[in-house]
Amino acid sequence: MKNAAAAVKTSLQNQSAMGSIANFYAVQLQLLCREHKHATSASALLRSIHANMITSGFRPRSHILNRLIDIYCKNSGLVYAKRLFDRIPQPDVMSRTTMIAAYSASGKPKLAREVFDKTPLSIRDTVCYNAMITCYSHNNDGHAAIKIFLDMRWKNFQPDEYSYSSVLAALALVADHEMHCRQLHCTVAKSGMTNFKCVVNALISVYVKCASSPLTSSLLLMDSASKLFYEMPERNDLSWTTIITGYVKNDDLDAARKVFDGMDEKLLVAWNAMISGYVHKGFIFEALDMLRKMYLAGMKPDEFTCTSILSACADAGLFLLGKQVHAYVKRTEEEIHVSVYNALITLYWKCGRVDDARKVFDNLVFKDLVSWNAVLSAYVSAGRINEAKLFFDEMPEKNSLAWVVMVSGLAQNGLGEDGLKLFNQMRVKGIELCDYAFAGAIASCAVLGALEAGCQLHAQLIQRGYDSSLSAGNALVTFYGRSGVIEAARNVFLTMPCVDLVSWNALIAALGQHGYGVQAVELFEQMLHENIMPDRISFLTVISACSHAGLVEKGRHYFNIMHSVYKINPGEDHYARLIDLLSRAGRLLEAKEVIENMPYKPGAPIWEALLAGCRTHRDVDLGVEAAEKLFELTPQHDGTYILLANTFAAAGRWDDAAKVRKLMRDQGVKKEPGCSWIKVENTVHVFLVGDTAHPEIQEVYNYLKELRLKMRKMGYVPDTQYVLHDMETEQKEYALSTHSEKLAVVFGLLKLPRGATIRVFKNLRICGDCHNAFKFMSKVEAREIIVRDGNRFHHFRDGECSCGNYW
């Protein structure tokens, strides 16, 4: 009996000791929970406590194990947590829920679902279901979260306010119809959960996010959100910011401002939402006024405020104000957030200070992808493409945006071949090909005039479902326009689900380039009728279209209303288009008068347009005056010498023409050789004037000789005025027959299948005799011939040209 009593006593003492040890470890872990924010020190201390448990032989019970698992999960020790969890013979619902939450935080919903599915129904509870719903919601799988919620209710588990908050957050991810919001709203109301602020806030958020869907009526949904907001007996910070942000996101800034003004104590996040909304809508001065009021109210701007204001300064070109914000941030902030640095980089490059933007970047200790992409965009936008290439190669990590910026940048700077090569590298490396990447590649094809390659990209766009993309559609309109397929450009425009100003400008420009000036003007008028506000590019394209079609009065009208109606100040490029319009029409004195009354000193494009008109209409004296201005501005430009020499030659002043050519040689200025090219069977064939190098050139000359005989019978007479050297008539006719565009067209007639369209590109303006010859060739051969010269397209069909002989 004594031995038995002693054994019992010892056992009780051991249990008491074990209880004390358990309590000791529980207290230590409780203290550690408060330190989990300091991840490095907490992780080391946790492993130390755990090791002490193991070496002392202590066997923790479930509440200690659960605490260990929880702290490991919160301190990035998911591997250790998993090992502990796997060693528990029968984990309770708390440990399972902890693992579900940990996998959720780590972005591993599949592993969380495995733990959930292995949790017996008998031990599941509402908290366990909530963890799984939250997991799917946080990992952007709204449908799966809703399905778990429905399963929870089907199996008679009672949802609480956290269940509804989580499932509403999930619904906000996928709701695209008003009915979805109404259904869950009814469920919430029936459950009596409308007394919980967190649930009502979540429901307001659902209505707000669903209002942004193109399939819904944003007005009705925002009315429902507003009704919920105003019916709340008590609102918290989240309530105010959710409704304000909702109105801002749905472009109802007046309603947002009304709610904002009704706040007793305005929160920083609400100020930021309003400022961001004004910036997004382009109301720059309203945003700046809001910043002033915020400052006077004693609110200190944070990184979100500064980022929005710097974006506003960048968009409005308010460089000095942006610099003041930069100075304020440096003076008041010990540590500047990287988003502010990124906004500063954007400010500097958008205001033309690319080197300053690079300095900001170089001073950044931590650079994220946005930082790298901002500098890359700076170089590309400034046309410093070689520096952009080097910078792109230096980037330690490139996301799809960096690739897209580079592909598009190469195309914008005339390096279409490099753009296509980079796009193909994206394919090889497995980079996601988004619609913007295709837009850049298609723009590259437009630069190269690579019709077949662009058509293939168009087909791939459709296969991938990107054919409704606005950026890709705009690129296609431009591509088909520059490749000579104007009907395809028009069809793309007409079938686009939505168009913007860029779309209208692209098609107007394409119609103008192809000689369809009347249609271009009609389209411009239609755009105005649909209340699309034109920009400076719109006026450039329509005035240019008028110039190519001889619509002088229309062109003058559009130039005049730029400022008087639309408050757009004409730039030098607009004046150059106006001078070109008048000069082509022979109204040279009127063009001279416009130049004399310009608000600033005319540059080279202005005088080039006038000189070209003088050459066409043989006004030698005014041509000499224009040429003298050009010699001062661009002394090494070959076009000035050539145009002046041609002006003298056209007037029969051969000695003066020879003097200009001699001056050109003496100045060391070399003439750009005229060349034309055509693609046949995937090979580009290039021809120069008087070409003797092409392997099939003799066959071309022989066929051209046959064609000329047929053309003469139909009335073709070589126009020898376009031979700009003094020689015999027979020599002049031979010189005309060796022009590069004639050789390229004839090669196409020889090599392409009967009925196929001939597409030829030339680097310089088409010769007048060649233009006349192609009209006859199109009739003799019953073929369509399309020639793109340095200025525009010519479509030759059945003896006529789309330009109406006005170019």
Side-chain angles (χ1 to χ4, degrees):
M1 287 294 290
K2 288 182 180 179
N3 291 336
V8 170
K9 185 178 180 181
T10 302
S11 175
L12 289 171
Q13 288 175 344
N14 289 339
Q15 286 180 20
S16 177
M18 289 295 289
S20 298
I21 294 171
N23 289 337
F24 169 77
Y25 285 124
V27 169
Q28 293 300 312
L29 292 173
Q30 180 68 29
L31 291 171
L32 194 57
C33 277
R34 298 173 189 169
E35 300 294 327
H36 80 272
K37 292 181 182 178
H38 307 288
T40 305
S41 59
S43 295
L45 189 55
L46 174 62
R47 287 195 295 271
S48 176
I49 294 171
H50 191 188
N52 189 271
M53 286 183 189
I54 296 169
T55 56
S56 68
F58 174 69
R59 293 186 178 181
R61 291 188 179 182
S62 59
H63 70 287
I64 299 289
L65 281 172
N66 290 343
R67 182 57 60 86
L68 272 172
I69 291 169
D70 181 49
I71 301 175
Y72 268 127
C73 290
K74 288 176 178 175
N75 287 278
S76 305
L78 191 54
V79 174
Y80 294 109
K82 177 72 166 54
R83 288 176 188 171
L84 274 173
F85 179 77
D86 289 342
R87 289 174 186 171
I88 303 174
Q90 292 182 329
D92 62 14
V93 70
M94 185 180 292
S95 59
R96 293 174 188 272
T97 303
T98 300
M99 289 304 299
I100 291 169
Y103 282 131
S104 170
S106 301
K108 298 175 180 177
K110 288 184 178 179
L111 294 177
R113 186 58 188 262
E114 285 179 16
V115 175
F116 179 82
D117 288 340
K118 289 177 182 177
T119 304
L121 191 61
S122 59
I123 68 168
R124 287 184 194 174
D125 59 11
T126 298
V127 178
C128 184
Y129 269 99
N130 288 352
M132 198 62 233
I133 295 168
T134 303
C135 174
Y136 279 128
S137 178
H138 285 178
N139 287 280
N140 299 315
D141 193 344
H143 292 293
I146 294 168
K147 193 173 179 182
I148 284 285
F149 176 77
L150 295 174
D151 179 71
M152 175 187 186
R153 297 185 68 205
W154 178 258
K155 290 174 179 170
N156 296 318
F157 287 90
Q158 188 63 40
D160 60 12
E161 66 270 27
Y162 301 108
S163 313
Y164 281 103
S165 298
S166 296
V167 77
L168 285 167
L171 179 64
L173 298 171
V174 297
D176 57 5
H177 198 280
E178 186 179 349
M179 180 184 66
H180 299 151
C181 303
R182 303 288 184 203
Q183 285 176 339
L184 204 50
H185 190 169
C186 289
T187 304
V188 171
K190 287 177 183 177
S191 70
M193 290 290 167
T194 50
N195 294 323
F196 291 95
K197 281 194 291 250
C198 63
V199 176
V200 180
N201 286 339
L203 191 54
I204 292 172
S205 183
V206 169
Y207 276 119
V208 162
K209 290 186 179 178
C210 193
S212 303
S213 169
L215 305 175
T216 60
S217 169
S218 62
L219 185 61
L220 288 173
L221 289 167
M222 284 307 301
D223 283 345
S224 298
S226 180
K227 188 169 183 254
L228 272 171
F229 172 78
Y230 284 112
E231 286 177 352
M232 291 178 75
E234 186 182 347
R235 308 176 191 99
N236 60 10
D237 296 351
L238 184 60
S239 314
W240 289 96
T241 54
T242 301
I243 195 70
I244 290 172
T245 305
Y247 279 123
V248 167
K249 285 184 176 178
N250 287 282
D251 295 332
D252 192 347
L253 292 177
D254 291 336
R257 185 61 182 267
K258 183 180 177 183
V259 177
F260 176 83
D261 289 340
M263 293 180 73
D264 293 329
E265 186 179 345
K266 295 176 175 61
L267 306 164
L268 180 58
V269 67
W271 287 99
N272 285 341
M274 288 304 308
I275 291 171
S276 175
Y278 282 130
V279 171
H280 179 69
K281 290 292 289 182
F283 299 149
I284 306 303
F285 293 104
E286 287 83 350
L288 295 175
D289 183 58
M290 185 66 75
L291 175 67
R292 182 183 62 81
K293 290 177 178 177
M294 174 183 168
Y295 186 77
L296 292 174
M299 300 292 291
K300 182 184 176 184
D302 64 0
E303 67 266 21
F304 300 105
T305 321
C306 294
T307 300
S308 293
I309 292 299
L310 286 168
S311 297
C313 293
D315 292 339
L318 302 173
F319 176 65
L320 292 179
L321 180 58
K323 283 197 75 174
Q324 289 174 2
V325 175
H326 189 180
Y328 169 81
V329 170
K330 288 181 72 174
R331 188 176 67 252
T332 59
E333 299 292 332
E334 292 181 9
E335 185 177 345
I336 303 175
H337 197 274
V338 68
S339 63
V340 178
Y341 273 115
N342 293 340
L344 282 167
I345 292 170
T346 303
L347 166 77
Y348 282 117
W349 76 255
K350 281 192 174 181
C351 292
R353 310 295 182 96
V354 177
D355 293 328
D356 288 334
R358 181 60 190 265
K359 286 177 185 175
V360 173
F361 173 83
D362 290 338
N363 288 331
L364 255 171
V365 177
F366 171 75
K367 303 173 176 72
D368 62 7
L369 270 172
V370 177
S371 317
W372 286 91
N373 287 341
V375 176
L376 182 66
S377 298
Y379 283 131
V380 167
S381 298
R384 293 161 63 167
I385 200 66
N386 290 328
E387 288 167 280
K389 285 180 180 179
L390 293 172
F391 190 79
F392 181 77
D393 292 338
E394 290 173 11
M395 291 178 71
E397 182 185 354
K398 303 179 185 74
N399 62 357
S400 58
L401 176 61
W403 288 86
V404 169
V405 167
M406 201 63 222
V407 170
S408 301
L410 290 165
Q412 291 164 14
N413 286 276
L415 302 173
E417 188 174 350
D418 290 342
L420 282 180
K421 285 179 180 177
L422 199 62
F423 179 77
N424 289 328
Q425 281 184 39
M426 288 182 71
R427 289 183 191 273
V428 172
K429 291 180 179 292
I431 308 296
E432 181 184 358
L433 297 175
C434 61
D435 53 336
Y436 294 104
F438 276 99
I442 291 166
S444 297
C445 292
V447 171
L448 296 170
L451 180 60
E452 291 178 12
C455 289
Q456 289 172 4
L457 288 170
H458 189 178
Q460 291 168 27
L461 262 178
I462 296 170
Q463 286 176 346
R464 290 171 179 257
Y466 292 147
D467 48 317
S468 61
S469 162
L470 180 61
S471 60
N474 290 342
L476 283 167
V477 173
T478 301
F479 158 70
Y480 281 120
R482 290 186 181 178
S483 299
V485 194
I486 188 64
E487 284 308 314
R490 198 196 310 261
N491 288 338
V492 170
F493 178 85
L494 293 174
T495 55
M496 287 172 68
C498 63
V499 295
D500 62 1
L501 181 58
V502 176
S503 319
W504 290 92
N505 288 347
L507 186 57
I508 292 168
L511 289 167
Q513 279 187 319
H514 287 263
Y516 302 113
V518 174
Q519 292 95 319
V521 167
E522 288 173 352
L523 189 66
F524 183 78
E525 293 291 345
Q526 182 186 341
M527 182 183 87
L528 298 183
H529 182 71
E530 294 188 18
N531 295 320
I532 307 294
M533 288 294 290
D535 63 359
R536 64 184 317 279
I537 303 299
S538 309
F539 284 103
L540 274 177
T541 56
V542 75
I543 295 171
S544 182
C546 292
S547 178
H548 286 306
L551 304 174
V552 180
E553 296 309 320
K554 272 287 183 185
R556 287 225 67 163
H557 167 69
Y558 291 134
F559 183 87
N560 291 335
I561 66 172
M562 271 183 71
H563 184 263
S564 63
V565 177
Y566 295 100
K567 309 304 177 188
I568 299 172
N569 292 320
E572 186 178 12
D573 45 2
H574 294 100
Y575 275 100
R577 296 290 199 283
L578 178 62
I579 300 303
D580 185 61
L581 171 80
L582 296 170
S583 299
R584 284 175 187 269
R587 293 161 67 163
L588 299 171
L589 293 178
E590 192 176 341
K592 181 70 170 12
E593 185 180 347
V594 170
I595 294 173
E596 289 170 349
N597 292 303
M598 281 175 61
Y600 39 76
K601 188 176 179 180
I606 302 291
W607 295 110
E608 283 173 4
L610 182 63
L611 179 56
C614 292
R615 183 255 178 270
T616 301
H617 297 284
R618 303 183 185 183
D619 189 327
V620 177
D621 293 337
L622 189 55
V624 170
E625 184 181 343
E628 286 175 350
K629 297 290 185 182
L630 283 168
F631 286 141
E632 293 175 12
L633 294 167
T634 54
Q636 295 299 305
H637 181 50
D638 64 331
T640 306
Y641 295 90
I642 294 161
L643 274 174
L644 182 58
N646 292 351
T647 302
F648 283 130
R653 292 169 58 171
W654 300 107
D655 290 342
D656 289 326
K659 288 176 182 177
V660 173
R661 293 193 188 95
K662 182 178 183 302
L663 177 64
M664 186 176 177
R665 287 193 298 272
D666 293 344
Q667 294 292 328
V669 179
K670 293 185 178 179
K671 177 182 179 296
E672 180 186 1
C675 71
S676 302
W677 59 97
I678 182 171
K679 188 174 182 180
V680 176
E681 294 181 352
N682 295 322
T683 301
V684 176
H685 296 263
V686 180
F687 295 88
L688 301 174
V689 62
D691 204 313
T692 58
H694 193 279
E696 298 179 78
I697 192 64
Q698 195 54 52
E699 187 179 355
V700 171
Y701 282 127
N702 292 340
Y703 192 61
L704 176 58
K705 191 175 181 179
E706 293 177 24
L707 276 176
R708 286 176 67 194
L709 291 174
K710 295 177 183 178
M711 289 156 58
R712 280 180 181 275
K713 289 179 182 178
M714 296 182 70
Y716 167 70
V717 177
D719 192 344
T720 56
Q721 70 166 313
Y722 290 98
V723 178
L724 302 171
H725 293 272
D726 192 14
M727 56 179 69
E728 297 297 326
T729 301
E730 187 175 338
Q731 291 175 307
K732 287 183 178 182
E733 289 187 12
Y734 175 76
L736 289 172
S737 70
T738 65
H739 282 194
S740 66
E741 58 264 54
K742 277 197 183 80
L743 302 179
V745 167
V746 172
F747 182 77
L749 292 170
L750 270 170
K751 297 299 179 180
L752 290 172
R754 193 72 186 169
T757 300
I758 310 297
R759 300 178 190 277
V760 168
F761 298 85
K762 185 182 180 183
N763 63 330
L764 303 177
R765 189 175 186 268
I766 189 174
C767 152
D769 177 69
C770 288
H771 188 274
N772 190 37
F774 294 151
K775 291 195 293 183
F776 281 95
M777 286 182 190
S778 68
K779 195 162 189 175
V780 168
E781 293 289 300
R783 301 280 279 274
E784 180 180 6
I785 300 169
I786 300 175
V787 178
R788 186 180 89 175
D789 67 8
N791 294 327
R792 55 170 300 167
F793 279 92
H794 298 267
H795 293 249
F796 301 94
R797 296 189 192 95
D798 195 29
E800 298 294 334
C801 179
S802 60
C803 73
N805 299 324
Y806 187 93
W807 85 100

